[in-house]
Amino acid sequence: MRKVILFIAMSLDGYIADNNGNVDWLLGHGNDSENIDIYSEFIQGVDTILMGWNTYHQITTDLSPTEWIYADLTTYVITHHKMNNSEHIYFTDEAPAALLDRLKSTDGKNIWICSGANLVQQLMCDDLIDQYHISVIPTILGSGVQLFNNSAKEIKLKLLKTATYNGITDLIYTCR
């Protein structure tokens, strides 16, 4: 069965964006030659992305306005905005739990929860995330969009793997 994987970066104090929604702080403490390419390995096992509207909007207006960077993947954007679907991007107001249930029952690779604190928190509440892959960036923001804000319940995890590079620590957990 397909796994649902949260693959995300956060500041040391648990934020995924600053107060203005910016992510320009997502850097290590050295230079790019010290980075390892964890994304390329991860993305080989994924064919579907779920993201919230704010993440989609940020990608298409700020981060990559001229090209959809996930063109080889099927993307579902959870939103109440009425948008026209394209070949690989589907806009839906379907409940995230119902959408994931439907997607997991089909053949395919893993499903990536790309971002959206609200979306992540809903999926956590419903125990729908199978694996947490979190890159901790060596930055303390102090405030912003918190990833694990007011979780309704405790979620016990088991550490599968760690890696460090350029001051960044990758933590990969599965649910116990």
Side-chain angles (χ1 to χ4, degrees), residues 4 17 20 24 27 51 69 72 82-83 87-88 93-94 97 109 121 153 168 171:
V4 176
N20 296 319
D24 54 355
L27 303 169
M51 67 177 63
I69 55 177
D72 295 336
K82 298 298 180 202
M83 303 282 294
E87 184 178 356
H88 296 288
D93 61 359
E94 185 175 1
K109 295 180 180 181
Q121 291 161 19
K153 63 181 178 177
I168 298 168
L171 304 166

Side-chain angles (χ1 to χ4, degrees), residues 57-71:
H57 184 70
Q58 183 177 39
I59 291 169
T60 58
T61 59
D62 296 334
L63 302 177
S64 183
T66 60
E67 174 186 13
W68 181 242
I69 55 177
Y70 305 120

Side-chain angles (χ1 to χ4, degrees), residues 113-171:
I113 306 305
C114 181
S115 190
N118 188 345
L119 175 61
V120 170
Q121 291 161 19
Q122 288 178 57
L123 298 176
M124 287 175 54
C125 186
D126 291 335
D127 290 322
L128 294 174
I129 299 175
D130 299 310
Q131 192 174 88
Y132 294 76
H133 187 143
I134 300 172
S135 297
V136 180
I137 307 301
T139 298
I140 297 173
L141 291 176
S143 63
V145 179
Q146 195 170 29
L147 180 57
F148 302 120
N149 187 20
N150 299 323
S151 181
K153 63 181 178 177
E154 178 181 10
I155 298 172
K156 294 183 184 284
L157 304 173
K158 178 182 177 184
L159 182 64
L160 296 178
K161 183 178 177 182
T162 63
T164 59
Y165 51 94
N166 195 10
I168 298 168
T169 301
D170 283 338
L171 304 166

Side-chain angles (χ1 to χ4, degrees), residues 2 5 39 42-43 46-52 55 59 68-78 88-90 99-100 103 110-115 119:
R2 304 169 81 176
I5 302 174
Y39 175 80
F42 165 76
I43 206 67
V46 171
D47 65 3
T48 305
I49 301 174
L50 251 66
M51 67 177 63
T55 301
I59 291 169
W68 181 242
I69 55 177
Y70 305 120
D72 295 336
L73 305 170
T74 301
T75 302
Y76 291 87
V77 179
I78 309 294
H88 296 288
I89 304 172
Y90 300 93
L99 175 60
L100 270 180
L103 291 173
N110 293 329
I111 302 165
W112 172 19
I113 306 305
C114 181
S115 190
L119 175 61

